[in-house]
């Protein structure tokens, strides 16, 4: 086992400075043992704590409440630090603020926040049209200043009143602007109630849909609402249609996906002529189109999943001809873009003619493409950085195709992504950010032939409290993994921090599902940096920062690379001259929480503390049971241990719960929510019990549980700030970084 490589901690220096603030709490709660044997492929695992899965059992609830009481006692001395960090976040945030309005048909839509209120207020004002660029210049809205003609679509604060939890899971408006559909979750379980509001009268229609999943949109004529349902394992599998004014019981299933390993979703095409239903996993997919002009034809398959191509499709008209823009991995591991005449899809795949629009490049990961009436807009990743390119539609896919144009930004490490666009608009909305540049909203005027386009800054998110970007530094560094692979790191620190080997450090990682930890500004993180913490984001394999190979080298039977990459990042920090090696902590959530559990077993002596947020630490138990939420969908990420003995053995060798061992673990906080449907609370609850039983050290191991939260914790911005302050205070206290510099 790889855990055997971890060093003996007996002769190591203390894990953190002596000045800790925890009190002397009572003994931690001890769950009773109810042995359950789990046997697969000739291997039997004895699980003493599986009974904690019984969510309705009062004994389980009592145990979880006892865990929280113990956590409160252990961390009582951190209360002032938590309060300080919360206030720092609050004082840097302009609490009364508005988003930049986005145009849709005859209206400008935006949201605003009000000081003292936890949730956003969705609003709109009428738009003018005179056929010029001015039509797409958003109205100037200022914080705290009434907007003439403003209509409130939805006040989240009023909706949340008296509810234990509140989250919006989607919203849609009819093209005539008369009806507004929205989905609300009041439990945190990501099941939503859909309501429809008549914006002319402010009244709710009687049409109410319960237990829907993410995703809703109206048909172009506004008579039909499309929405998603999930099955018992929280897998979105049904696209349903509701005809307004009819009983919900009469709603029809437009599409149902019965393969438990496939995810289903839908969206409206850019030109709003088709409903695009996407079915897929991380390795191949299938797209079905509903032509709103001919709905009786039903859904039409483009490329069947049997072709095992991973692709996205954008149907549109080009010079009056039906075309489909395909972003696909056919003979292109990093994906490429092809233009295909719609009639080609009726032919066998090997006889179809696809015109190359963006060729495959081993150094460039193509993420996706959409269209406006005049341009193709491509999202891609090069040199780890997400960026946008645009190409005129005229001549697309021919020898006369125009060269791509890319908006130019000044910083080396940044993120530039789509913030939405309207098909007929001469501009696209971009959102730009970096580690120390607050989000900026730009409108990019699409270039004429031979032009470069123009960036129009619409807003930079204000940061209060005397924030100055020049006070901080972000650099790209590289760790070296055990197999020689260079792992990119983003290293964040204050500019005035001395490189004296005495500072504290935090290493953060995720490394799954091809998700990239891109440069992005975060107000809460400043509270750590201002306490002298060097914050390292480890872009480990399993993420998407370095292309598709980077992802594939950190999944399934290569998953251990994710963990050893993170340890290599930790070693880089320990040897960098910036920090005291005994003052390093680790942080990660969800699949990054599995990473935290894995590195805790691999190298517990390297960390003074670990915070694992909603951690997927009992992954093997979960994935072995396809009836559990989202389990079957995980087979394409981790492998299928039910049918494959090699996958089972490989996972059993790294999954955190099965590999807890008799070593001195550092301080560990597992943070979870009772109603989380993605990573059930039982996983960290079991893990904490196992850690406490086997650890040979004396550091506290706690379970922080939000009894009214979901995968993202409690709802509302203030509760979110409190959660972040709790996590950061736990880490800062453990690594002796409690005082501002």
């Amino acid at each position: 086992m790889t855990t055997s490589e971890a060093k003996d901690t007996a002769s190591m220096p203390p894990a953190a400075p002596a000045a800790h603030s925890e009190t002397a709490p009572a003994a931690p709660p001890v769950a009773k043992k109810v042995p359950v044997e789990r046997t697969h492929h000739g291997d039997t695992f004895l699980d003493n704590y599986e009974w904690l899965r019984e969510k309705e059992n009062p004994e389980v609830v009592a145990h979880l409440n006892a865990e929280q009481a113990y956590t409160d006692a252990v961390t009582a001395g951190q209360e002032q630090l938590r309060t300080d960090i919360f206030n720092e976040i609050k004082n840097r945030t302009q609490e009364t603020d508005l988003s930049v309005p986005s145009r849709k048909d005859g209206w400008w839509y935006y949201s605003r926040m009000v000081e003292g209120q936890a949730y956003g207020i969705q609003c709109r004002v009428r738009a003018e049209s005179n056929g010029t660029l001015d039509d797409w210049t958003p109205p100037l809205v200022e914080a705290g200043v009434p907007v003439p003609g403003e209509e409130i679509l939805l006040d989240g604060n009023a909706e949340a009143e008296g509810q234990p939890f509140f989250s919006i899971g989607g919203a849609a408006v009819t093209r005539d602007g008369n009806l507004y559909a929205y989905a609300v979750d009041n439990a945190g379980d990501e099941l939503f109630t859909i309501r429809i509001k008549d914006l002319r009268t402010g009244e709710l229609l009687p049409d109410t849909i319960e237990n829907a999943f993410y995703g809703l949109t109206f048909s172009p004529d506004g008579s039909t609402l499309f929405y998603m349902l999930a099955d018992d394992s929280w897998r979105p599998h049904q696209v349903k249609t509701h005809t307004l004014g009819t009983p919900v019981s009469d709603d029809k299933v437009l599409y149902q996906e019965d393969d438990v390993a496939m995810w289903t979703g839908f969206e409206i095409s850019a030109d709003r002529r088709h409903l695009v239903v996407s079915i897929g996993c991380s390795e191949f997919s299938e797209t079905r189109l509903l032509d709103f002009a001919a709905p009786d034809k039903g859904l039409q398959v483009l490329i069947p999943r049997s072709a095992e191509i991973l692709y996205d499709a954008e149907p549109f008209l080009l010079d009056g001809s039906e075309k489909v823009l395909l972003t696909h991995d056919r003979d292109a591991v990093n994906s490429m873009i092809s233009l295909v005449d719609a009639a080609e899809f009726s032919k066998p795949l090997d006889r179809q003619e696809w015109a190359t629009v963006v060729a495959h490049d081993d150094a460039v990961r193509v993420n996706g493409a959409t269209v406006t009436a005049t341009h193709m807009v491509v999202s891609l990743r090069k040199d780890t950085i997400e960026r946008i390119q645009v190409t005129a539609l005229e001549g697309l896919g021919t020898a006369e195709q125009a060269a791509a144009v890319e908006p130019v930004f000044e910083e080396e490490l940044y993120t530039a992504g789509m913030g939405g666009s309207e098909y007929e608009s001469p501009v696209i909305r971009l959102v730009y950010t970096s580690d120390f540049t607050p989000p900026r909203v730009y409108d990019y005027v699409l270039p004429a032939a031979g032009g470069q386009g123009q960036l129009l800054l619409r807003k930079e998110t204000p940061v209060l409290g005397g924030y100055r970007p020049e006070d901080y530094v972000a650099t790209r560094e590289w760790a070296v993994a055990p197999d020689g692979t260079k792992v990119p790191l983003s290293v964040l620190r204050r500019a005035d921090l001395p490189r004296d080997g005495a500072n504290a450090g935090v290493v953060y990682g995720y490394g799954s599902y091809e998700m990239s930890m891109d440069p992005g500004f975060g107000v809460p993180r400043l509270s750590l940096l201002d306490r002298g913490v060097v914050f390292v984001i480890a872009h480990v394999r399993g993420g998407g920062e370095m292309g598709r190979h980077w992802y594939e080298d950190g999944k399934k039977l290569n998953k251990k690379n994710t963990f050893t990459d993170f340890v290599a990042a930790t070693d880089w920090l320990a040897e960098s001259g910036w920090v005291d090696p005994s003052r390093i902590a680790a942080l990660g959530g969800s699949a990054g929480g599995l990473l935290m559990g894995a590195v805790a077993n691999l190298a517990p002596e390297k960390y003074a503390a670990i915070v694992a947020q909603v951690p997927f630490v009992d992954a093997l138990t979960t994935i072995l049971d396809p009836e559990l939420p989202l389990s079957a969908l995980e087979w394409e990420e981790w492998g299928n241990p039910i049918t494959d003995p090699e996958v089972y053995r490989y996972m059993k060798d790294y999954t955190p719960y099965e590999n807890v061992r008799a070593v001195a673990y550092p301080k560990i906080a597992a943070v979870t929510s009772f109603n989380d449907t993605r990573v059930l609370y039982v996983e960290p609850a079991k893990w904490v019990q196992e850690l406490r039983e086997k650890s040979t050290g004396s550091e506290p191991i706690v379970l922080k549980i939000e009894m009214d939260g979901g995968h993202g914790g409690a709802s509302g911005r203030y509760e979110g700030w409190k959660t972040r302050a709790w996590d950061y205070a736990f880490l800062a206290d453990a690594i002796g970084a409690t005082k501002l510099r």
Side-chain angles (χ1 to χ4, degrees):
M1 294 176 60
T2 55
T3 51
S4 66
E5 298 172 3
K7 299 175 183 177
D8 182 1
T9 62
S11 60
M12 295 293 288
H20 299 320
S21 60
E22 69 261 13
T23 60
V30 178
K32 68 181 181 182
K33 293 183 178 181
V34 181
V36 174
E37 290 188 349
R38 186 192 71 201
T39 301
H40 289 271
H41 306 295
D43 176 74
T44 297
F45 175 70
L46 183 65
D47 191 339
N48 289 317
Y49 302 112
E50 178 62 14
W51 71 276
L52 290 172
R53 192 178 301 278
E54 300 167 13
K55 190 175 182 180
E56 305 300 324
N57 184 341
E59 192 174 353
V60 171
V61 175
H63 173 76
L64 296 176
N65 285 327
E67 286 280 17
Q68 185 58 50
Y70 174 70
T71 298
D72 291 341
V74 167
T75 63
Q78 299 165 20
E79 179 59 35
Q80 185 59 54
L81 181 56
R82 290 195 291 268
T83 300
D84 290 346
I85 294 175
F86 174 85
N87 286 332
E88 289 160 18
I89 298 170
K90 188 172 185 292
N91 293 337
R92 285 188 171 114
T93 303
Q94 182 168 299
E95 295 186 66
T96 297
D97 203 4
L98 299 97
S99 66
V100 178
S102 296
R103 181 160 183 168
K104 186 176 179 65
D105 299 313
W107 298 86
W108 289 101
Y109 292 87
Y110 58 97
S111 65
R112 56 183 171 89
M113 302 291 295
V114 177
E115 184 174 357
Q117 296 184 351
Y119 299 97
I121 302 169
Q122 309 306 315
C123 311
R124 71 177 183 179
V125 294
R126 286 198 178 273
E128 301 294 332
S129 296
N130 58 29
T132 70
L133 184 61
D134 288 343
D135 292 350
W136 301 95
T137 301
L140 180 63
V141 293
E142 298 181 77
V145 179
V147 181
E150 177 181 276
E151 295 183 14
I152 293 178
L153 310 180
L154 185 72
D155 184 341
N157 303 286
E159 290 281 333
E161 190 171 353
Q163 300 291 344
F165 184 92
F166 173 77
S167 178
I168 294 288
V173 65
T174 53
R175 293 194 71 170
D176 60 16
N178 291 336
L179 299 178
Y180 176 77
Y182 62 98
V184 172
D185 173 12
N186 288 132
D189 59 4
E190 298 182 88
L191 293 179
F192 300 88
T193 298
I194 298 175
R195 299 184 177 90
I196 303 171
K197 184 178 182 180
D198 189 328
L199 297 177
R200 295 163 296 188
T201 66
E203 300 296 323
L204 292 176
L205 302 186
D207 313 59
T208 301
I209 301 168
E210 301 286 351
N211 297 318
F213 202 65
Y214 295 100
L216 70 164
T217 193
F218 284 104
S219 60
D221 64 4
S223 65
T224 303
L225 183 72
F226 298 90
Y227 64 96
M228 290 293 310
L229 289 184
D231 62 14
D232 291 339
S233 66
W234 267 266
R235 177 184 66 94
H237 75 130
Q238 276 189 351
V239 181
K240 297 196 75 173
T241 62
H242 172 71
T243 301
L244 271 61
T246 66
V248 173
S249 58
D250 291 346
D251 290 0
K252 295 179 174 57
V253 176
L254 177 66
Y255 179 76
Q256 176 169 315
E257 176 54 52
D258 294 323
D259 187 334
V260 297
M262 301 291 275
W263 185 285
T264 304
F266 65 79
E267 61 183 357
I268 295 288
S269 61
D271 62 7
R272 296 194 276 189
R273 297 171 56 250
H274 291 84
L275 184 76
V276 183
V277 178
S278 301
I279 309 104
C281 60
S282 65
E283 299 188 346
F284 57 88
S285 59
E286 180 176 281
T287 298
R288 301 181 179 218
L289 301 182
L290 179 69
D291 186 345
F292 288 128
D296 291 342
K297 290 183 178 179
L299 291 169
Q300 304 296 306
V301 178
L302 292 182
I303 305 168
R305 68 191 69 181
S306 57
E308 296 191 349
I309 296 173
L310 187 64
Y311 71 100
D312 293 319
E314 182 69 74
F316 70 108
L317 285 175
L318 182 61
D319 297 328
S321 177
E322 290 281 357
K323 301 287 186 179
V324 177
L325 198 64
L326 288 180
T327 303
H328 63 91
D329 69 348
R330 185 185 186 189
D331 300 322
V333 66
N334 264 342
S335 292
M336 60 183 291
I337 300 176
S338 298
L339 184 66
V340 186
D341 191 280
E344 292 294 307
F345 294 107
S346 62
K347 303 176 183 177
L349 183 61
D350 60 359
R351 292 175 52 196
Q352 294 175 16
E353 294 185 8
W354 296 9
T356 296
V357 171
V358 176
H360 178 256
D361 187 333
D362 283 332
V364 178
R365 176 70 165 111
V366 179
N367 295 324
T370 188
V371 294
T372 71
T374 59
H375 286 75
M376 174 182 70
V377 184
V378 177
S379 171
L380 52 83
R381 182 178 301 279
K382 184 178 181 182
D383 300 327
T384 78
I385 300 301
E386 182 184 1
R387 55 192 75 200
I388 296 293
Q389 290 184 349
V390 298
T391 305
L393 291 183
E394 186 177 357
L396 197 69
T398 72
E400 286 74 41
Q401 178 176 313
V405 178
E406 183 175 318
V408 177
F409 301 99
E410 295 178 356
E411 295 180 276
E412 177 186 1
L413 303 178
Y414 66 89
T415 301
M418 282 288 289
S421 65
E422 279 293 280
Y423 183 69
E424 298 291 344
S425 174
V427 304
I428 58 172
R429 179 66 53 83
L430 299 180
V431 178
Y432 173 94
T433 186
S434 73
D435 290 307
F436 297 119
T437 300
R440 293 174 180 168
V441 175
Y442 289 96
D443 279 340
Y444 180 62
V445 181
L446 294 168
Q452 287 298 310
Q454 182 183 7
L455 280 170
L456 304 174
L457 178 63
R458 300 305 190 190
K459 179 179 181 177
E460 178 171 322
T461 302
V463 182
L464 308 181
Y467 171 73
R468 302 192 319 155
E470 61 268 27
D471 290 341
Y472 305 89
V473 175
T475 63
R476 167 72 76 236
E477 309 292 347
W478 300 85
V480 180
D483 63 0
T485 299
K486 294 179 67 176
V487 180
L489 312 176
S490 295
V491 180
L492 317 181
R493 58 176 173 83
R494 281 193 62 91
D496 59 2
L497 196 70
R499 192 168 187 170
D500 59 5
N503 303 300
V506 170
V507 187
Y508 170 82
Y510 186 78
S512 292
Y513 306 109
E514 204 179 355
M515 291 184 64
S516 300
M517 301 297 103
D518 291 320
F521 184 76
V523 164
R525 192 170 57 211
L526 298 176
S527 291
L528 287 181
L529 300 178
D530 286 349
R531 286 172 169 81
V533 172
V534 178
F535 196 98
V536 175
I537 302 168
H539 303 287
V540 295
R541 280 175 283 185
E545 289 89 343
M546 301 282 282
R548 183 72 179 186
H549 283 303
W550 197 251
Y551 168 52
E552 292 178 344
D553 286 347
K555 66 181 291 193
K556 291 190 173 179
L557 296 179
N558 294 319
K559 189 63 200 172
K560 291 179 184 178
N561 287 334
T562 303
F563 315 137
T564 53
D565 283 1
F566 190 90
V567 174
T570 305
D571 290 341
W572 178 91
L573 180 60
E575 298 163 6
S576 67
W578 285 109
V579 306
D580 177 344
S582 70
R583 298 180 64 193
I584 297 176
L587 173 67
S590 198
L594 182 151
L595 170 60
M596 294 300 98
V599 300
N601 291 330
L602 271 174
E605 76 284 355
K606 295 181 186 292
Y607 304 97
I610 294 174
V611 170
Q613 303 157 317
V614 288
F616 191 32
V617 284
D618 194 19
L620 190 53
T621 300
T622 296
I623 297 173
L624 283 168
D625 186 352
E627 300 302 316
L628 290 177
L630 306 179
S631 289
L633 293 170
E634 300 289 348
W635 294 338
E636 296 302 332
E637 181 72 20
W638 315 93
N640 187 343
I642 299 174
T643 59
D644 191 329
E646 185 180 10
V647 170
Y648 175 86
R649 286 190 293 271
Y650 188 82
M651 290 191 69
K652 178 78 179 299
D653 200 35
Y654 72 72
T655 42
Y657 184 56
E658 285 85 355
N659 288 286
V660 174
R661 58 200 179 95
V663 294
Y665 283 95
K667 286 184 175 67
I668 293 178
V671 181
T672 188
S673 296
F674 192 53
N675 290 325
D676 190 345
T677 57
R678 294 177 182 263
V679 179
L680 301 185
Y681 73 88
V682 66
E683 297 203 22
K686 290 167 58 175
W687 181 53
V688 162
Q689 288 296 308
E690 195 74 8
L691 283 167
R692 287 197 196 121
E693 180 181 356
K694 292 186 177 176
S695 179
T696 62
S698 58
E699 297 289 9
I701 296 167
V702 300
L703 178 72
K704 179 180 181 290
I705 183 163
E706 174 59 60
M707 296 303 285
D708 291 316
H711 193 60
S715 63
R717 59 173 172 171
Y718 296 111
E719 290 302 317
W721 296 347
K722 289 178 183 177
T723 298
R724 187 60 59 86
W726 194 98
D727 295 347
Y728 282 1
F730 186 90
L731 293 175
D733 181 72
I735 57 180
T738 61
K739 303 298 183 183
L740 291 170
R741 288 181 49 81

